[in-house]
Amino acid sequence: MMKHFLLPLVFLTNSVAAHAQQDDSLLIRRLADTVLTHGGAYENLRVLTKQIGARLAGSPATYKAEKWGAEALRKAGADTVYFQDVIVPHWVRGGKDEVRILSNRRDYVAPLATLALGNSNGSGEKGVTAPVIEVKDFDDLEAKKDQLKGKIVFYNYPFNPRFVETFKAYSDAVRYRGSGPSRAAKYGAVGVVIRSMSHGTNNFPHTGALHYNDSFPKIPALALGLEDADRLSARIKNDPSLKLFLRTWGKMLPDTLAHNVIGEIRGSEFPDQYITVGGHLDSWDVNEGANDDGTGIVQSIQVLEAFKKLGLHPKHTIRIVLYANEENATNGGREYAKQAKLKGEKHVFALESDAGGFTPRGFSLEVTPAQRAKVASWIPLLQPYGVYTVAAEGAGEDVGYLRPAIGTPVGELEPDSQRYFDLHHAPNDVLENVNKREMELGAIEMSALIYLVDKYGL
Amino acid sequence: MMKHFLLPLVFLTNSVAAHAQQDDSLLIRRLADTVLTHGGAYENLRVLTKQIGARLAGSPATYKAEKWGAEALRKAGADTVYFQDVIVPHWVRGGKDEVRILSNRRDYVAPLATLALGNSNGSGEKGVTAPVIEVKDFDDLEAKKDQLKGKIVFYNYPFNPRFVETFKAYSDAVRYRGSGPSRAAKYGAVGVVIRSMSHGTNNFPHTGALHYNDSFPKIPALALGLEDADRLSARIKNDPSLKLFLRTWGKMLPDTLAHNVIGEIRGSEFPDQYITVGGHLDSWDVNEGANDDGTGIVQSIQVLEAFKKLGLHPKHTIRIVLYANEENATNGGREYAKQAKLKGEKHVFALESDAGGFTPRGFSLEVTPAQRAKVASWIPLLQPYGVYTVAAEGAGEDVGYLRPAIGTPVGELEPDSQRYFDLHHAPNDVLENVNKREMELGAIEMSALIYLVDKYGL
């Protein structure tokens, strides 16, 4: 933490550096004006969300999105636009997901708000009907392992509200979605429902990927809206006759071909050295993928557009990468890193935006301490638009592959995280839940950071 | 700016101070846990917005809100709860506001999204029909002053998107709402429509107070949704036959009696020295007053509740003040300051929350440089919950009166401002547009600041 306070001081005692910082401040103000007054990001987002919409890897909309992305990069002023082949999984939901409470009691119970988990197998027409057993967590599951045979397991693990950064609550809870189904199947469970990965004040169900363990039956698994999870939990406590009926239709089709869409501005001094900026083009099938990750896509394109509009000629080649597949396999980033390594490319820095289009607060980084100190020295330049910290360790899923592959310093825009899990992987991740200006401030910060890394190196 | 970087360094070289800071950090973490895990703020907000709803000063809902506020303060643990008389204006909208485009062209034009400005006089049943003249700003108005007689003036002054802090765009534009109507009436205009005070991506009209100049006719005045303002502007340019029909029903009834609702925890050492925390209980008549200022109200009550739940005994008397009237006359804060002066009360500090329930970023202050430096030294304690700056000059409308009256240091929570003018004074300022956790983080910051001011003075 101290670094943030220390470095600008050191910096400003150097008058040459102070002058440079003033010039940079003016240039970044011009980038900001460009984005805020006539940037194309919001209109791009409108088209991506409203005209293309949901675009799960392998779905027909994937290919519309790729075509749109290439065109948007060209319009933004890319020198070169090309596709990079990526083999992606092709999961389909296949039908309407259902969870119903069955009970000897004669009071009516509405179907629960639910979505099958991504990559899950369908129950088929007949569905699954079984008694339900609620578990608090994996310890509780293990304690009850002898009672699970033939049952539906209900993981009711809540987000911990004490984490100020909501991604920590997600990291803490998401294992119940990822490995919960197979861990229950191991003990003979025939289905799983989970409390959605959210702390929202609504009842939207939140889908997301599970990972079956091939050693156990691949049982149906669904997420419940939070209000319905609470209702189910209350009901289980005083209705011994309660059973659940689940029906899902999910299916994994053969892998298919999709593409990372890449647009470049060629570097004036080091054309063979790359700075990458990107987000992922795919989304879940149940929403418009507005914050996840439409905003990352249009912010990345905005970086290129803003450079072009100001006539900036970067020294390194700036590559905007719209990754093909993050949601259910992260094959987009994996392939990009693999190709970079195969070709022996030199990557100076790679930045991602995949945490929602919310007001910016920081950048998370996976870099050396010296590199972090250098980025921290730029905070006075970034703070007018919202970024005041680069203390967090971490980077986006997609750029994360570059670091182990070829040692690239990587980072991610860190927007305010309070609203993300209200809509993450849920039907309400739509354009109306993006604030134009918050998203634009994020694009400004990304443009500023790329400008500084290009100018001063890392 | 430098202050923020400098002070924590100085602070931490002092090991006694560092120990104190560690204790404070733990105490503030306990305040945060209380608010995030079982704080009453959001449930209070639900009742205020959904069961009481709109509560313009003088309306019947005002008195329901006062009763609710007193009860909420008691439930939160106030030692004493009482009412302070405040004479408030009593404006009523009186009916449905209308703006229609009349044209010789036969294409159908829907009525425009509109709301009469607060405090404005109605046109009456007959309405006003007249040609419309668009002006960019007051200079443009003056240039066209000879053409305004018998016309409706359309002030189409947009928010300047270059301001990162949106309140600056509001300050820049709001004079067209406040004094625009009388300045047009001076030259014989018979009505005014204005572009709403917003940069939102929707078409909601935004009401808000105007101030008639008694020297000129009090003509009807309305705000238009932004999309309709753009449509009207486009149409004016190529339809010379265009007229507008306006109809409004506004009326100022005699002033009436309302109340500042006050709850206290009595100070253990200095019971006659006060620290005030508050927001305003009134709202406009067209929405639930969720962010303006329901969140300020429930955050202020949350401060008291959190202190009580942790068994903290403040040295000074903490006063939670729910001000009676901010929207159309600011009589609540005015009366509170007047009474404080009359009684010779000593006020240590007064804090307000009236900028929306959005994620906190800073506190604005009207204090001496030494006091600002002291608050800045606490930033390391506040930053984990979002506040990283106290550089801004300013305070809330209501507490603002205490400084000229009795010299009190005053301040306001400064949440992220990007979303505020999407819903300010518009029908969409409803509970659904408040994020529970963002609002709670604001309440944590307010609790922390009050705790520190009580402990260390200012």
Side-chain angles (χ1 to χ4, degrees):
Chain A
M1 192 65 82
M2 260 309 94
K3 254 179 304 198
H4 308 170
F5 297 109
L6 191 57
L7 283 162
L9 266 188
V10 172
F11 197 95
L12 286 169
T13 54
N14 177 325
S15 76
V16 178
H19 269 289
Q21 192 137 11
Q22 199 178 7
D23 291 348
D24 291 336
S25 165
L26 292 173
L27 190 285
I28 291 170
R29 182 68 244 186
R30 289 176 59 214
L31 283 168
D33 289 349
T34 302
V35 174
L36 289 168
T37 60
H38 56 287
Y42 192 75
E43 175 58 15
N44 273 341
L45 186 62
R46 195 190 61 73
V47 174
L48 180 61
T49 55
K50 296 300 180 190
Q51 291 181 12
I52 297 170
R55 47 196 182 277
L56 187 61
S59 68
T62 301
Y63 305 98
K64 281 172 70 177
E66 290 178 357
K67 205 178 143 189
W68 166 86
E71 187 52 34
L73 284 164
R74 267 183 220 108
K75 263 179 59 182
D79 303 335
T80 324
V81 176
Y82 56 97
F83 281 13
Q84 181 175 65
D85 289 356
V86 182
I87 301 297
V88 299
H90 186 189
W91 180 79
V92 291
R93 185 169 301 277
K96 184 174 156 45
D97 307 312
E98 286 171 90
V99 174
R100 289 170 188 275
I101 290 177
L102 306 177
S103 163
N104 293 339
R105 297 196 186 170
R106 289 163 62 181
D107 52 332
Y108 174 73
V109 179
L112 306 185
T114 195
L115 282 172
L117 297 184
N119 299 345
S120 69
N121 283 356
S123 66
E125 181 70 34
K126 254 184 62 186
V128 172
T129 301
V132 59
I133 185 161
E134 178 176 341
V135 301
K136 282 200 306 270
D137 53 26
F138 285 137
D139 288 346
D140 197 21
L141 181 91
E142 295 299 329
K144 292 172 177 164
K145 66 184 178 187
D146 297 336
Q147 308 165 44
L148 304 184
K149 200 170 161 58
K151 303 269 177 63
I152 291 167
V153 169
F154 170 30
Y155 288 103
N156 193 18
Y157 187 86
F159 265 31
N160 184 341
R162 295 180 64 252
F163 290 115
V164 173
E165 284 115 28
T166 62
F167 282 88
K168 293 183 181 161
Y170 180 65
S171 296
D172 175 55
V174 73
R175 55 201 150 143
Y176 296 99
R177 189 189 77 202
S179 58
S182 286
R183 288 191 60 168
K186 178 181 172 190
Y187 297 123
V190 294
V192 160
V193 293
I194 66 165
R195 184 182 185 83
S196 281
M197 299 294 119
S198 176
H199 44 202
T201 50
N202 57 48
N203 197 33
F204 287 109
H206 298 242
T207 189
L210 62 68
H211 308 286
Y212 283 132
N213 179 331
D214 289 336
S215 311
F216 308 111
K218 295 177 175 176
I219 60 178
L222 306 93
L224 300 178
L226 299 194
E227 291 172 4
D228 280 344
D230 289 340
R231 248 172 244 140
L232 176 61
S233 178
R235 183 123 190 173
I236 285 171
K237 289 180 182 52
N238 52 41
D239 182 353
S241 72
L242 186 146
K243 292 185 180 183
L244 283 185
F245 169 75
L246 317 179
R247 188 156 48 186
T248 63
W249 308 89
K251 199 174 180 177
M252 196 61 89
L253 303 178
D255 285 354
T256 184
L257 182 66
H259 307 89
N260 292 333
V261 182
I262 302 177
E264 295 182 354
I265 311 183
R266 193 174 159 79
S268 58
E269 283 185 43
F270 312 109
D272 296 335
Q273 297 183 20
Y274 301 97
I275 297 174
T276 293
V277 190
H280 65 85
L281 199 50
D282 63 321
S283 79
W284 282 103
D285 59 320
V286 297
N287 59 34
E288 297 172 2
N291 285 286
D292 187 13
D293 182 25
T295 48
I297 290 290
V298 302
Q299 286 171 323
S300 299
I301 297 172
Q302 179 68 81
V303 172
L304 189 151
E305 185 197 285
F307 270 59
K308 278 289 180 177
K309 281 194 168 153
L310 290 192
L312 299 180
H313 299 289
K315 297 195 276 187
H316 308 83
T317 292
I318 310 284
R319 255 194 202 161
I320 312 302
V321 183
L322 319 182
Y323 297 97
N325 167 233
E326 190 270 348
E327 290 301 358
N328 57 341
T330 67
N331 284 359
R334 209 186 302 262
E335 185 63 26
Y336 182 73
K338 184 176 150 195
Q339 293 300 327
K341 186 174 183 176
L342 277 174
K343 294 175 189 159
E345 287 176 355
K346 176 157 172 51
H347 283 249
V348 177
F349 180 56
L351 179 64
E352 181 163 334
S353 169
D354 184 20
F358 308 107
T359 199
R361 303 203 76 126
F363 285 106
S364 61
L365 298 170
E366 282 181 24
V367 295
T368 66
Q371 288 167 332
R372 191 181 300 273
K374 191 160 188 179
V375 179
S377 76
W378 298 329
I379 286 179
L381 295 165
L382 306 176
Q383 189 161 331
Y385 312 97
V387 162
Y388 60 89
T389 177
V390 296
E393 189 67 32
E397 286 286 331
D398 283 303
V399 302
Y401 288 103
L402 276 173
R403 192 154 180 78
I406 56 171
T408 310
V410 292
E412 187 175 18
L413 179 68
E414 199 180 22
D416 193 274
S417 69
Q418 301 311 315
R419 284 175 284 153
Y420 194 56
F421 294 99
D422 292 359
L423 47 75
H424 181 243
H425 300 178
N428 58 331
D429 186 8
V430 293
L431 180 67
E432 290 75 6
N433 287 326
V434 174
N435 176 281
K436 177 174 183 282
R437 289 176 53 88
E438 291 190 340
M439 181 271 289
E440 287 172 345
L441 289 175
I444 291 165
E445 295 287 13
M446 293 166 66
S447 303
L449 182 58
I450 296 303
Y451 164 78
L452 292 164
V453 170
D454 179 64
K455 182 166 174 182
Y456 297 109
L458 204 61
Chain B
M1 194 68 78
M2 260 308 93
K3 252 181 305 201
H4 306 172
F5 296 107
L6 191 58
L7 283 161
L9 265 188
V10 173
F11 197 94
L12 287 169
T13 55
N14 177 325
S15 75
V16 178
H19 269 289
Q21 193 137 7
Q22 199 180 8
D23 291 348
D24 291 335
S25 166
L26 292 173
L27 189 285
I28 291 169
R29 181 69 244 187
R30 290 176 58 213
L31 283 168
D33 287 349
T34 301
V35 173
L36 289 169
T37 61
H38 56 287
Y42 192 75
E43 175 57 16
N44 273 340
L45 186 63
R46 194 190 62 73
V47 174
L48 180 60
T49 54
K50 296 299 180 190
Q51 292 179 12
I52 298 170
R55 47 195 181 278
L56 187 61
S59 68
T62 301
Y63 305 98
K64 281 172 71 178
E66 289 178 356
K67 204 178 144 189
W68 166 85
E71 187 51 33
L73 283 163
R74 266 182 220 108
K75 263 178 60 183
D79 303 336
T80 325
V81 176
Y82 55 98
F83 281 12
Q84 182 176 62
D85 290 355
V86 182
I87 301 297
V88 298
H90 186 189
W91 180 78
V92 290
R93 185 169 302 277
K96 184 174 156 45
D97 307 312
E98 286 170 89
V99 175
R100 289 171 188 273
I101 290 177
L102 307 177
S103 163
N104 293 340
R105 295 195 187 174
R106 289 162 62 182
D107 53 332
Y108 174 72
V109 179
L112 306 185
T114 195
L115 282 172
L117 297 184
N119 300 344
S120 70
N121 283 355
S123 65
E125 181 71 34
K126 252 185 63 186
V128 171
T129 301
V132 60
I133 185 162
E134 178 175 340
V135 300
K136 281 200 306 271
D137 53 26
F138 284 138
D139 288 346
D140 198 22
L141 181 89
E142 295 298 328
K144 293 172 176 163
K145 66 184 180 190
D146 296 335
Q147 307 164 45
L148 304 184
K149 199 170 161 61
K151 303 268 176 62
I152 292 167
V153 169
F154 170 28
Y155 288 103
N156 194 18
Y157 186 86
F159 265 31
N160 183 340
R162 296 180 65 252
F163 289 116
V164 173
E165 284 113 28
T166 63
F167 281 90
K168 292 183 182 162
Y170 181 65
S171 296
D172 174 55
V174 73
R175 56 201 150 143
Y176 296 99
R177 188 188 78 203
S179 57
S182 286
R183 287 190 63 169
K186 178 181 172 189
Y187 298 122
V190 294
V192 160
V193 292
I194 66 165
R195 184 181 184 84
S196 281
M197 298 294 119
S198 176
H199 44 200
T201 50
N202 57 48
N203 198 32
F204 287 110
H206 297 242
T207 188
L210 62 67
H211 309 287
Y212 283 133
N213 178 331
D214 289 336
S215 312
F216 308 110
K218 295 177 176 175
I219 60 178
L222 306 93
L224 300 178
L226 299 194
E227 291 172 4
D228 280 343
D230 288 340
R231 246 171 246 142
L232 176 60
S233 178
R235 182 122 192 172
I236 286 172
K237 288 181 182 51
N238 52 39
D239 183 354
S241 72
L242 187 147
K243 291 185 180 184
L244 283 185
F245 169 74
L246 317 180
R247 187 155 53 186
T248 64
W249 308 88
K251 199 171 179 179
M252 197 60 91
L253 303 178
D255 285 354
T256 184
L257 182 66
H259 307 89
N260 291 333
V261 183
I262 303 177
E264 295 182 354
I265 312 183
R266 193 174 160 81
S268 58
E269 282 186 44
F270 312 108
D272 296 336
Q273 296 184 19
Y274 300 98
I275 296 174
T276 294
V277 190
H280 65 84
L281 199 49
D282 63 323
S283 79
W284 281 103
D285 59 321
V286 297
N287 59 35
E288 296 173 359
N291 285 286
D292 187 15
D293 182 24
T295 48
I297 290 291
V298 303
Q299 286 171 324
S300 299
I301 297 172
Q302 179 67 81
V303 173
L304 190 151
E305 186 198 285
F307 270 59
K308 278 290 182 177
K309 280 193 169 153
L310 290 192
L312 299 180
H313 300 289
K315 297 195 277 188
H316 308 83
T317 292
I318 310 285
R319 255 193 201 163
I320 312 301
V321 183
L322 319 183
Y323 297 97
N325 167 233
E326 190 270 349
E327 290 300 359
N328 57 342
T330 66
N331 284 358
R334 209 186 303 262
E335 185 64 25
Y336 182 74
K338 184 176 150 194
Q339 292 300 327
K341 185 173 183 177
L342 276 173
K343 294 175 188 159
E345 288 176 356
K346 175 158 172 47
H347 283 249
V348 178
F349 180 57
L351 180 64
E352 182 163 335
S353 169
D354 184 19
F358 309 107
T359 199
R361 303 202 77 124
F363 285 107
S364 61
L365 298 170
E366 283 181 22
V367 295
T368 65
Q371 288 167 334
R372 190 181 300 272
K374 192 161 187 177
V375 179
S377 76
W378 298 328
I379 286 179
L381 295 165
L382 306 176
Q383 190 161 331
Y385 312 97
V387 163
Y388 61 88
T389 177
V390 296
E393 189 66 31
E397 285 287 332
D398 282 305
V399 302
Y401 289 103
L402 277 173
R403 192 154 180 78
I406 56 171
T408 310
V410 292
E412 187 175 20
L413 180 67
E414 200 181 21
D416 193 274
S417 69
Q418 301 311 315
R419 283 175 284 155
Y420 194 55
F421 293 100
D422 292 359
L423 47 75
H424 180 242
H425 300 179
N428 58 331
D429 186 8
V430 294
L431 180 66
E432 290 75 7
N433 286 326
V434 175
N435 177 281
K436 177 174 183 282
R437 290 176 52 87
E438 291 190 341
M439 182 270 288
E440 288 171 345
L441 290 175
I444 291 165
E445 295 287 12
M446 291 167 67
S447 304
L449 182 59
I450 296 303
Y451 164 79
L452 292 165
V453 169
D454 179 63
K455 182 166 174 182
Y456 297 110
L458 205 61

